[in-house]
Amino acid sequence: MAPTVDAIPPLRNGRRGRPRQRPDKLHADKAYDARARRRKCRARGIRPRIARRGIERSDRLGRHRWVVERSHAWFNRARRLPVRYERRADIYEAFTLLQASLITLRQIRRFC
């Protein structure tokens, strides 16, 4: 987990000054529950929000992670995307962009 956190690019939030190098909080599920991981997050100035095994339910974390899971589900509606059948990357990318445009079109229709 530490190399992934260290690889996060500087965050730009529109304010003047030097951009933050690390996020304020880290949300993770029960698989990342370990004292060493929590300690490493705190050493980097990040507040860990990790569900604890046997104590805390992970559905409270779902409020923050639901948007990503929903987006994955939208992409999985296209039957070609979850299992990659195309050998060429450009064709797979074209289908991914087509699905992204269809998702965007549905959202525009829904809100307009």
Side-chain angles (χ1 to χ4, degrees):
M1 186 170 103
T4 304
V5 172
D6 290 337
I8 296 173
L11 303 172
R12 302 193 189 283
N13 57 3
R15 287 188 252 164
R16 290 193 301 174
R18 194 169 151 203
R20 278 189 53 85
Q21 294 295 317
R22 294 200 166 72
D24 292 327
K25 289 190 284 184
L26 174 76
H27 292 268
D29 57 5
K30 293 180 183 184
Y32 294 99
D33 182 29
R35 284 187 184 147
R37 289 192 178 111
R38 291 176 191 274
R39 215 175 313 122
K40 288 179 183 178
C41 283
R42 287 189 190 106
R44 288 171 170 78
I46 301 171
R47 283 185 294 164
R49 179 67 181 94
I50 303 171
R52 291 174 282 172
R53 290 184 185 159
I55 297 173
E56 193 172 353
R57 295 190 345 233
S58 61
D59 60 347
R60 290 183 62 203
L61 289 170
R63 287 181 286 179
H64 303 285
R65 297 179 69 218
W66 185 77
V67 175
V68 175
E69 300 296 329
R70 177 192 65 193
S71 301
H72 284 286
W74 286 345
F75 274 98
N76 288 341
R77 283 185 197 167
R79 293 184 182 171
R80 287 192 139 173
L81 294 179
V83 179
R84 184 175 170 177
Y85 295 110
E86 286 79 22
R87 292 179 185 225
R88 291 177 38 197
D90 58 339
I91 295 175
Y92 183 74
E93 183 182 9
F95 279 120
T96 305
L97 292 174
L98 180 64
Q99 183 63 16
S101 61
L102 290 173
I103 290 168
T104 305
L105 182 64
R106 283 190 202 114
Q107 292 300 314
I108 290 172
R109 283 185 189 164
R110 183 175 163 201
F111 290 114
C112 293

